[in-house]
Amino acid sequence: MTGSAAGTEFVWAALGGDPALLSRLSTVVRPGALDARLPVRELARACVGACALAGAELTAVRTGGNVPGVLVDDGAVATAFVSERHLLVDGRAPVNFAPLSRFWRTADGWVRTHANYPHHQARLLESLRLDADASVETVAACLGERSAAEVEDTVYAAGGLAVALRTPAEWAAHEQGAAVARHPLLSRESVAEADRSAPSAPARLSGDPLRPAAACVRVLDLTRVIAGPVATRTLALLGADVLRVDTPWLPEDPDAHADTGFGKRSTKLDLGVRADRRTFEDLLAGADVVVTGYRPGALDRFALTPEALAVRRPGLVVAQLSAWGGYGPWSGRRGFDSLVQVATGIAAIEGSAERPGALPAQALDHGTGYLLAAAVLRSLTERSREGGTQLVRLALARTAAWLVDGLGPPDEERSEASYDPEPWLAGTDSDLGRLKYARTPVSFAGGPADWARPPGRWGTDAARWA
């Protein structure tokens, strides 16, 4: 069995899927797609394949028919895994990393910082006691005099983001790395099992076999950046009514929102304000799924723990995503794909003796996003049979551990050939301008080939269900 086939089998088992359904899946291999030293291509195929199979399975549940065939094409997958790089807005390419989001040489090694958002950049510079307009050269000189561990601790203590480069062995010996290794790739459990009174999926999803798998499913999307929005973008593709809810107090990159906003609507609510909180509770009363992508504990003060949600809306599917996992000493830390790559040894593996490297895509983000969508889809299928409130949890660091230790070597030799992404790109007009974007890699017979609507402007939709 090849690495990607074994990976898909592993993911499907973790999702609780029927192994017999794996025969419905086929793959188109394209040399040059997501080449890396680590099995990135195999991870991507497995995540997308499991997600598409979960969508196909839910379609069969809705229609009472057979599970349709699933196709995973390396070209579509590789294009989608760098969707943020393919996006064009009126011909303009977004800037995906700010000048201070990069690798820096320290006195004894390397660190990587993340400063794409203004408040993260401000905290980075404040922690280093540098002026707000400090140049790259000034920051480099400052960091070059300090140890990587000191920079990591100092910046995080100030609310910024910086992670020291570690090898896989160093991460395995780290307390957080050991905690991550003790947990499964994804966890699934029931919350408030005794309460089976909530409406189950079939009553709302039954009907026309041409309707998408997740039609009439209402999703509250409390996620940001890439992984969570990729998951909810995929649920929107499959027909869910996805309403992204953001606080007005945190800035958003409009290009990032454009890339991951297909099929969704977007609103702003301040849950600390009584009127907005009432609006949110009204939305929750009609929701089927709540997806959160903030660090563990960040939303607890708003009674958004799985247990509290289950009391107010029995029968929900609650999906939680974090960078480092809800366990270990780093459970409360912020994190991004690029930083997780550095901490877990991926940057060391993909780099050289002279400089750390990176994966050919933000594969932890994208891969975990498709895993999260797959877990939600499977939970909807199981809820239709069993009822109850379902909880799924994933973490970028756990996906990284699977990439490094769980998939084995890449199936094929690394190739100098390159695939052409053009067949998997599309264009559309939108309120943001003319968009060129990556099409979905989630494909099964009879399934939707594209989103029903382009992204709109961030936070401008009404806070109500469609």
Side-chain angles (χ1 to χ4, degrees), residues 56-325:
E57 179 191 32
L58 185 57
T59 297
V61 168
R62 289 188 65 248
T63 63
N66 295 323
V67 175
V70 170
L71 179 67
V72 180
D73 191 308
D74 279 355
V77 172
T79 304
F81 264 58
V82 290
S83 61
E84 66 276 7
R85 300 182 203 171
H86 288 299
L87 179 71
L88 296 177
V89 182
D90 284 334
R92 175 186 58 81
V95 175
N96 290 307
F97 285 99
L100 299 188
S101 295
R102 50 168 286 181
F103 286 110
W104 308 88
R105 188 181 288 279
T106 64
D108 62 350
W110 293 86
V111 296
R112 185 158 188 172
T113 55
H114 195 285
N116 281 10
Y117 291 100
H119 56 298
H120 290 157
Q121 177 171 310
R123 290 167 186 169
L124 169 66
L125 294 174
E126 288 167 5
S127 71
L128 301 176
R129 298 185 179 180
L130 296 175
D131 294 338
D133 59 352
S135 66
V136 168
E137 293 74 19
T138 299
V139 176
C142 176
L143 296 180
E145 298 174 349
R146 305 187 184 199
S147 71
E150 178 193 358
V151 173
E152 180 180 274
D153 291 343
T154 300
V155 174
Y156 260 106
L161 295 112
V163 172
L165 177 72
R166 291 173 173 84
T167 65
E170 289 169 337
W171 178 243
H174 190 277
E175 190 176 352
Q176 185 63 33
V180 169
R182 290 192 294 268
H183 285 76
L185 175 62
L186 57 93
S187 67
R188 302 171 65 248
E189 59 189 272
S190 295
V191 181
E193 267 190 278
D195 192 334
R196 305 286 181 179
S197 62
S200 57
R204 296 185 62 181
L205 295 179
S206 60
D208 184 351
L210 297 178
R211 298 180 75 189
C216 300
V217 171
R218 291 171 170 172
V219 180
L220 278 175
D221 176 8
L222 280 67
T223 69
R224 292 169 57 81
V225 195
I226 297 178
V230 163
T232 51
R233 180 180 72 182
T234 304
L235 297 175
L237 169 80
L238 298 177
D241 180 9
V242 179
L243 180 63
R244 176 167 160 172
V245 180
D246 284 280
T247 173
W249 303 112
L250 285 178
E252 175 60 308
D253 180 343
D255 292 332
H257 176 70
D259 175 48
T260 59
F262 282 86
K264 310 180 198 177
R265 292 176 300 116
S266 168
T267 195
K268 297 177 190 175
L269 292 174
D270 183 349
L271 298 187
V273 173
R274 183 175 300 176
D276 281 5
R277 184 60 184 271
R278 282 199 301 267
T279 299
F280 180 84
E281 292 298 322
D282 288 343
L283 291 168
L284 178 63
D288 297 289
V289 180
V290 174
V291 185
T292 66
Y294 292 79
R295 56 196 170 93
L299 299 177
D300 289 2
R301 68 187 186 277
F302 301 120
L304 294 179
T305 65
E307 295 77 15
L309 289 168
V311 169
R312 306 207 298 288
R313 178 60 172 163
L316 271 178
V317 175
V318 181
Q320 295 183 326
L321 170 73
S322 63
W324 307 106

